[in-house]
Every structure is written in structure tokens, then in C-alpha cells.
Amino acid sequence: MKMRKGWRWFWGIAAALLVYHFDAITGQWKFNRLCETEAGARYFEPVEGGVGWEVQANHDLGTDYVPALNLGAGFVRFTDKKGVRSDVRMTTPRFVRGGPKYSFSPVDEALPVRYRYVYFGEEIDGDKRFKRYVTQLVDLKNDRIAASHTAIVYAWTASSRVLLNAPTSQRCGSGEESNKFFAQIRNQGVTK
């Protein structure tokens, strides 16, 4: 009789843990599916090097032009949060000691802008545990995406719910894969 009672406790605790963590289990399945279907790099057409890119300020740091210049834009037509437009160029290489330097000049409308650099993050399907971070390079000649990169982040619960506030988030489509994407754009080796 004691053995049966012990097994009931075991299965009862196991069932309670399953119910308690069911959202984490289904979240992991969703995360795996999103990683397989959305995360990573997509190339739709070759990217021309050394041409102008258009960038809109997205945050208050005012340095949204930096990623585009690091990716190989000849110059960036930048519009800051106040609506002021400038042409920005990198005047020293990225890897020079002390970091790169940038020069700002009034917009030269004679210089065409070929691409629009877009970066945004969003919640997926209204679920606060999931975030999608997207980088897009839009060809302004045909208003189509030339290349894109998507990273997915999933935090199955708040760190405060876990022993020692251990991190609970996972990522896919970032790290080495995003570095490879940016290197390919920078080197203009992008093909369909």
C-alpha cells in the first residue's frame, strides 16, 4: 500500500510541474518553429557597394547611421529625430585605434541614394516572451527588400522566477550568423 501511495505522490508532483511549465514547453516549440522558418539571412538581389544609403533615426542616441556605414555604404543620408538631414561619411577606417570618425555635410541632392537601411524590433503575436529583430536593406529603385536578417529572442519566464535570477532567454539568428550576414553585405558578395 505504501508503494502505491508513493507513486501517486510522484505522478501528482510530475503532473503539477508539467502544468506549471506548460507555457514554457509550448513556448519552446514555438521558438524552434520560428527559428526554422524566420531566423537568419535572406538575400533577394545583389547589393551594390559604395553607394548612398538612407537612414532614419530610431533612437535617441542619434548614431543610427553607424551600422549602414559599417556595412559598406559610400555615404549615409541621415535624418535625425529633429528632422535635420545630413550626408554622413566615415573619415577614418572602422578598425583604427580610437574608433572611426564621421563627417557631416549638408545634403547633396546630386548624389543619389540607392538603399534604405531599416532596423526594428517587435513583439511577436502579442506575446511578451518573444521578440523579433529585423535588419533590412531596401532597394529604392524598385522598393523591394534586397537583403534581410532576422533574429528571434525567447525568454520563457522572468529571471526573477528562477533560482539565482538565472537568465532564461535564448536567441537564434544572431551571433556568428549575423556577423556573416553583415560581412557578406560589407564585401558586396551577395548573390541571390
Side-chain angles (χ1 to χ4, degrees):
M1 190 70 164
K2 286 184 179 181
M3 182 80 145
R4 284 187 168 174
K5 201 172 194 179
W7 278 108
R8 283 188 199 156
W9 274 103
F10 172 78
W11 288 114
I13 290 171
L17 285 172
L18 180 65
V19 168
Y20 181 73
H21 291 295
F22 191 69
D23 63 331
I25 294 167
T26 57
Q28 185 66 44
W29 291 336
K30 180 178 178 179
F31 174 72
N32 292 342
R33 182 179 47 80
L34 289 169
C35 288
E36 288 175 17
T37 59
E38 290 188 31
R42 306 274 192 282
Y43 306 103
F44 304 103
E45 61 186 53
V47 176
E48 185 180 339
V51 296
W53 293 16
E54 175 182 281
V55 175
Q56 193 83 22
N58 287 323
H59 56 71
D60 294 330
L61 294 176
T63 57
D64 300 276
Y65 53 87
V66 172
L69 288 168
N70 285 339
L71 287 174
F75 71 93
V76 171
R77 184 138 308 142
F78 179 65
T79 305
D80 68 17
K81 287 272 194 186
K82 296 177 183 175
V84 176
R85 296 174 64 220
S86 307
D87 284 348
V88 185
R89 287 176 178 72
M90 190 181 301
T91 56
T92 60
R94 293 178 312 132
F95 301 109
V96 169
R97 198 162 151 195
K101 305 262 188 278
Y102 305 97
S103 69
F104 292 77
S105 60
V107 170
D108 182 357
E109 296 292 350
L111 294 174
V113 174
R114 174 71 192 272
Y115 299 103
R116 179 182 313 115
Y117 176 84
V118 179
Y119 175 80
F120 61 92
E122 62 187 3
E123 202 172 86
I124 300 175
D125 300 331
D127 190 339
K128 294 180 193 279
R129 301 174 304 162
F130 290 90
K131 301 271 192 273
R132 177 186 297 123
Y133 296 96
V134 179
T135 301
Q136 294 175 337
L137 194 56
V138 179
D139 187 341
L140 295 175
K141 283 186 177 180
N142 55 25
D143 203 33
R144 290 194 308 225
I145 297 170
S148 71
H149 181 272
T150 303
I152 306 291
V153 177
Y154 164 57
W156 63 271
T157 190
S159 292
S160 59
R161 275 183 61 189
V162 181
L163 185 64
L164 301 174
N165 286 334
T168 63
S169 64
Q170 309 175 54
R171 295 174 172 268
C172 63
S174 59
E176 186 177 323
E177 187 175 325
S178 64
N179 291 340
K180 181 179 175 187
F181 170 77
F182 296 129
Q184 285 186 309
I185 296 292
R186 188 170 38 255
N187 298 331
Q188 311 312 318
V190 177
T191 57
K192 224 174 178 183

